[in-house]
């Protein structure tokens, strides 16, 4: 069974046993998270969501991605600015769709 669900402003196409990385969720490692905003499941498309359908995942890890450099520059103005950014994420394992 496959499903498309929505979280953090993004959509994820998953099946049971998949490992996905989503925007940071307020959940502890080892806890279960249920997503109710299912757009497509088992060949049925919602309008906009499928009724009585959910995706259950287990939180495996909380972490941060690799650092990216943000460099701002204005020509001929002696303006240069360098920043770093690490985006937080949550690693999930899909346990059940239904």
């Amino acid at each position: 069974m496959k499903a498309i669900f929505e979280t953090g402003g993004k959509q994820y196409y998953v099946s049971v046993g998949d490992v996905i990385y989503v925007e940071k969720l307020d959940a502890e490692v080892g806890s279960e998270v249920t997503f109710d905003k299912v757009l497509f499941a088992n060949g049925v498309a919602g309008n906009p969501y499928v009724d009585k359908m959910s995706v259950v995942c287990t939180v495996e890890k909380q972490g941060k991605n690799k650092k990216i450099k943000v460099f701002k520059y204005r020509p001929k103005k002696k303006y240069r600015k360098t920043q770093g950014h690490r985006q937080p994420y949550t690693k999930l394992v899909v346990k059940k769709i239904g």
Side-chain angles (χ1 to χ4, degrees), residues 64-78:
K64 288 185 177 182
N65 286 332
K66 291 183 178 179
K67 183 178 278 192
I68 62 165
K69 289 185 179 178
V70 180
F71 183 70
K72 295 181 180 180
Y73 169 77
R74 303 264 185 233
K76 302 175 193 161
K77 302 294 183 206
K78 293 186 180 178

Side-chain angles (χ1 to χ4, degrees), residues 55-90:
V55 176
V56 179
C57 300
T58 303
V59 178
E60 191 170 291
K61 180 182 176 184
Q62 299 276 14
K64 288 185 177 182
N65 286 332
K66 291 183 178 179
K67 183 178 278 192
I68 62 165
K69 289 185 179 178
V70 180
F71 183 70
K72 295 181 180 180
Y73 169 77
R74 303 264 185 233
K76 302 175 193 161
K77 302 294 183 206
K78 293 186 180 178
Y79 174 79
R80 289 173 176 81
K81 184 177 181 182
T82 303
Q83 284 183 312
H85 177 73
R86 293 182 70 190
Q87 185 69 26
Y89 68 85
T90 302

Side-chain angles (χ1 to χ4, degrees), residues 6 11 13 15 19 23 33-34 37 41 45 47 53-54 60 66 72 87:
E6 182 181 305
Q11 297 174 2
Y13 181 64
S15 60
V19 175
E23 296 293 321
V33 181
T34 304
K37 293 184 176 183
N47 187 15
M53 188 64 72
S54 64
E60 191 170 291
K66 291 183 178 179
K72 295 181 180 180
Q87 185 69 26

Side-chain angles (χ1 to χ4, degrees), residues 3 10 12 16 22 28-29 38 42-43 46-48 51-53 59-60 63 65 70 77 84 86 89-90 92 95-96:
K10 298 175 181 70
Y12 298 93
V16 176
V22 300
E28 294 185 17
V29 176
V38 179
N42 212 15
N47 187 15
D51 293 332
K52 300 177 185 174
M53 188 64 72
V59 178
E60 191 170 291
N65 286 332
V70 180
K77 302 294 183 206
R86 293 182 70 190
Y89 68 85
T90 302
L92 300 174
K95 292 294 178 190
K96 185 174 109 177

Side-chain angles (χ1 to χ4, degrees), residues 1-4 38-46 50 53-55 97-98:
M1 181 181 279
K2 297 186 180 281
I4 300 173
V38 179
L39 300 163
F40 178 86
N42 212 15
V44 178
V50 180
M53 188 64 72
S54 64
V55 176
I97 298 171

